[in-house]
Amino acid sequence: MPPFRYVQTVRFGDIDHAGIVFYPRFFNYCHIAFEELFGQGEYCRVLDERRIGFPAVHVECDFQRPLRFGDRVAVDVQLVRMGGRSLTLRYVLSKEGDPSGATCAEAKITCAIVNLDTFQSVPLPEGLRRLFEALKP
Amino acid sequence: MPPFRYVQTVRFGDIDHAGIVFYPRFFNYCHIAFEELFGQGEYCRVLDERRIGFPAVHVECDFQRPLRFGDRVAVDVQLVRMGGRSLTLRYVLSKEGDPSGATCAEAKITCAIVNLDTFQSVPLPEGLRRLFEALKP
Amino acid sequence: MPPFRYVQTVRFGDIDHAGIVFYPRFFNYCHIAFEELFGQGEYCRVLDERRIGFPAVHVECDFQRPLRFGDRVAVDVQLVRMGGRSLTLRYVLSKEGDPSGATCAEAKITCAIVNLDTFQSVPLPEGLRRLFEALKP
Amino acid sequence: MPPFRYVQTVRFGDIDHAGIVFYPRFFNYCHIAFEELFGQGEYCRVLDERRIGFPAVHVECDFQRPLRFGDRVAVDVQLVRMGGRSLTLRYVLSKEGDPSGATCAEAKITCAIVNLDTFQSVPLPEGLRRLFEALKP
């Protein structure tokens, strides 16, 4: 069982002209999983009250199997590296309930920790450090 | 010839699982036409410097023909009504170059004029009043 | 209690430059509620196996209060009218847990019932008729 | 001067809650540039008539400077590698008219060449080979 899993249904409007999920939307799924791992309402408070943001600075993704309309996509999130002022997470996307457990896509996303007023990097607060440490594989 | 026309290509990612443009994206086309009618960079200045915004308060749209991938959609914009603190525009969407000139969708969108810091309604400034008056059919 | 309610969190990427949910995305929320009311996986089967689709033909929406990042939006769905080959549903959007219960937006969306291969209108199958009848207020 | 440049305005709805372009939408800009480099209407014909598609199999992107509302984003496209059944392109995003010419993001995107009915890889047709060869830096 991975440290954190978020599951959502592929939506009617997520599909592209080739009949599969438009690949930039894989990053939407990853971002929603990121929002969810903070816990209900908490990500919003981190941004709006503590003014801490997490802009992506580097993204890598392998797309191995297409996602299609009606699939349930499971996004498993793991910590890869926690630096002083940045964070790298791995997102493994698969189809929920697929007995093969085959990976559809695997993304590694590094984000900076910044003050949202200045966009200058800041250290990760202690409470959030614990949140991400819990995502160690 | 209508007062203002904006044309764009239907994009690969605009299509839904039924193989046509996902209908909420018709409103994206309308909004982009709205942004464009201010002139290069001007809409942004109205929002960011004058702090005036145009939130939609009422939308009506008839969808008559689907738009498909590769279509060029022409959005013709006309003024329907300019109130003291609101604005109604008509957007007629058709396929550029279609000899029949058939309408694909016709939307009537009313927006309030608000101060973006307070979201309270404000009168439309004179310069913008002239911009929208030029859209009278 | 309304016949069918779907709830989702407003996402980071749903927000526009004015700091509120970009209004075309209200229709995304309505569409996801529509997908959900069929039951898990069922909407997809209706489209892909029975080749029945529900293209929007008319949309009306009043926007009364903005939705913001972190809000939980509740979408209540009611049947307005079931014709031979079309369907009108009302979607009332509010903030889950808002003690005032204030409506943020109210949309009335009419869709045709079509065969997805021909886009010709077809009668609503009996099983789906029952599904929508259960949404009578 | 790069082999191919596509320019578009950052749109009102492209912005996220942090006030910058939501990073998955950088890939939308890249994809639109990809669609455009085929020439007017040609990408659509390649997909729909020749049934050839270009699903992303690997994406890497460095995000160096945020894009904001009202920026004009220039996407420069170069060929990195043309394999038998895949293709790697580099997309450099900057702000049009920025005297520093500073890169905002640089993406390297590899796509497979597939038959859209089977999603099996196929060789790149000769005419398209010439199109991409013209993108050599």
Side-chain angles (χ1 to χ4, degrees):
Chain A
M1 210 17 216
F4 181 81
R5 167 170 284 202
Y6 168 75
V7 182
Q8 83 155 69
T9 303
V10 169
R11 297 302 179 183
F12 187 74
D14 290 347
I15 300 303
D16 64 22
H17 183 66
I20 58 177
V21 172
F22 188 44
Y23 86 81
R25 294 190 187 118
F26 280 69
F27 298 108
N28 285 257
Y29 299 151
C30 294
H31 201 279
I32 293 173
F34 182 78
E35 299 175 32
E36 285 295 310
L37 65 83
F38 285 75
Q40 175 74 44
E42 200 47 47
Y43 177 65
C44 180
R45 274 188 287 276
V46 169
L47 271 75
D48 286 358
E49 294 170 17
R50 306 171 77 169
R51 303 297 295 149
I52 292 174
F54 305 87
V57 294
H58 183 75
V59 164
E60 279 180 54
C61 187
D62 282 302
F63 301 89
Q64 291 160 26
R65 280 166 191 77
L67 288 168
R68 294 178 194 278
F69 179 54
D71 284 340
R72 295 270 295 166
V73 52
V75 184
D76 292 316
V77 190
Q78 290 182 345
L79 181 69
V80 175
R81 195 192 56 83
M82 186 156 42
R85 291 157 184 253
S86 72
L87 195 64
T88 303
L89 297 173
R90 175 178 291 114
Y91 299 81
V92 179
L93 286 72
S94 58
K95 294 179 199 176
E96 194 193 33
D98 177 355
S100 79
T103 295
C104 295
E106 181 171 336
K108 222 168 68 180
I109 300 177
T110 301
C111 55
I113 321 292
V114 304
N115 176 290
L116 277 173
D117 296 313
T118 63
F119 274 79
Q120 297 299 305
S121 70
V122 294
L124 192 62
E126 192 53 37
L128 294 180
R129 185 165 287 273
R130 276 193 298 273
L131 174 75
F132 292 112
E133 255 160 17
L135 298 177
K136 277 186 187 159
Chain B
M1 211 19 217
F4 181 81
R5 166 169 285 200
Y6 168 75
V7 182
Q8 84 155 69
T9 302
V10 169
R11 297 302 178 184
F12 188 74
D14 291 346
I15 299 303
D16 64 23
H17 184 65
I20 59 177
V21 171
F22 188 43
Y23 86 80
R25 292 189 188 118
F26 280 69
F27 299 108
N28 285 257
Y29 299 152
C30 294
H31 201 281
I32 294 173
F34 183 77
E35 299 175 33
E36 285 295 311
L37 65 83
F38 285 75
Q40 175 72 45
E42 199 48 45
Y43 177 66
C44 181
R45 273 188 287 275
V46 168
L47 271 76
D48 286 358
E49 295 171 15
R50 305 172 77 169
R51 302 298 296 149
I52 292 175
F54 305 86
V57 294
H58 182 76
V59 163
E60 281 180 53
C61 187
D62 282 302
F63 300 89
Q64 294 161 24
R65 280 166 190 78
L67 288 168
R68 294 177 193 279
F69 178 55
D71 284 340
R72 295 269 296 166
V73 52
V75 185
D76 292 317
V77 190
Q78 289 181 345
L79 180 70
V80 174
R81 194 191 56 82
M82 186 156 44
R85 291 157 183 255
S86 73
L87 194 65
T88 303
L89 297 174
R90 174 177 292 115
Y91 299 79
V92 179
L93 286 73
S94 59
K95 295 181 198 174
E96 194 194 33
D98 178 355
S100 80
T103 295
C104 294
E106 182 171 335
K108 221 167 69 181
I109 301 176
T110 301
C111 56
I113 321 290
V114 304
N115 176 290
L116 279 172
D117 296 312
T118 63
F119 272 79
Q120 297 301 307
S121 72
V122 293
L124 190 63
E126 192 51 38
L128 294 179
R129 187 164 285 273
R130 274 194 298 274
L131 175 75
F132 292 113
E133 256 160 18
L135 298 176
K136 277 188 187 157
Chain C
M1 206 24 210
F4 182 82
R5 168 170 284 201
Y6 168 76
V7 182
Q8 84 154 67
T9 303
V10 168
R11 297 302 178 183
F12 187 74
D14 291 345
I15 299 304
D16 64 24
H17 183 66
I20 59 177
V21 171
F22 188 43
Y23 87 81
R25 293 189 188 117
F26 280 68
F27 299 108
N28 284 257
Y29 299 153
C30 294
H31 201 280
I32 293 173
F34 182 77
E35 299 175 34
E36 285 296 310
L37 65 83
F38 285 76
Q40 175 75 43
E42 199 47 45
Y43 177 66
C44 181
R45 274 189 287 276
V46 169
L47 271 75
D48 286 358
E49 295 170 15
R50 305 172 79 169
R51 303 299 295 149
I52 292 174
F54 306 86
V57 294
H58 183 76
V59 163
E60 280 181 53
C61 188
D62 281 303
F63 301 89
Q64 292 160 26
R65 281 167 190 76
L67 289 168
R68 295 177 193 278
F69 180 54
D71 285 339
R72 295 269 296 164
V73 52
V75 185
D76 292 317
V77 190
Q78 289 181 345
L79 181 69
V80 175
R81 194 192 56 83
M82 186 157 42
R85 293 158 182 254
S86 72
L87 195 65
T88 303
L89 298 173
R90 175 176 291 112
Y91 299 80
V92 179
L93 286 73
S94 58
K95 295 180 199 176
E96 195 193 32
D98 178 354
S100 79
T103 295
C104 294
E106 181 171 334
K108 221 168 68 180
I109 300 176
T110 301
C111 55
I113 321 291
V114 304
N115 176 290
L116 278 173
D117 296 313
T118 63
F119 274 80
Q120 296 301 306
S121 71
V122 294
L124 192 63
E126 192 51 37
L128 294 180
R129 186 164 286 273
R130 276 194 298 274
L131 175 75
F132 292 113
E133 255 158 18
L135 298 177
K136 276 187 187 158
Chain D
M1 212 17 216
F4 182 81
R5 165 169 285 201
Y6 168 76
V7 182
Q8 82 156 69
T9 302
V10 168
R11 296 302 177 184
F12 187 74
D14 291 347
I15 298 305
D16 63 24
H17 184 66
I20 59 177
V21 172
F22 188 43
Y23 86 81
R25 293 191 188 117
F26 280 69
F27 298 109
N28 284 257
Y29 299 153
C30 293
H31 201 280
I32 293 174
F34 182 77
E35 298 175 35
E36 285 296 309
L37 66 82
F38 284 75
Q40 174 73 45
E42 199 47 48
Y43 177 65
C44 182
R45 274 188 287 275
V46 167
L47 271 75
D48 286 358
E49 294 171 15
R50 307 172 76 169
R51 302 299 294 149
I52 292 174
F54 305 87
V57 294
H58 182 77
V59 162
E60 281 180 53
C61 188
D62 282 301
F63 300 89
Q64 293 161 24
R65 282 168 189 77
L67 288 168
R68 294 176 194 279
F69 178 55
D71 285 340
R72 296 268 296 166
V73 52
V75 185
D76 292 316
V77 191
Q78 288 181 344
L79 180 69
V80 174
R81 193 192 56 83
M82 185 157 43
R85 290 157 184 255
S86 73
L87 195 65
T88 303
L89 297 174
R90 174 177 292 115
Y91 300 80
V92 179
L93 285 74
S94 59
K95 295 180 200 176
E96 194 194 33
D98 178 355
S100 80
T103 294
C104 295
E106 182 171 336
K108 220 168 69 181
I109 301 177
T110 301
C111 56
I113 321 291
V114 304
N115 176 289
L116 278 173
D117 297 312
T118 62
F119 273 80
Q120 296 301 306
S121 71
V122 293
L124 191 63
E126 191 53 37
L128 294 180
R129 187 164 286 274
R130 275 193 298 273
L131 175 75
F132 293 112
E133 255 160 17
L135 298 177
K136 278 187 187 159

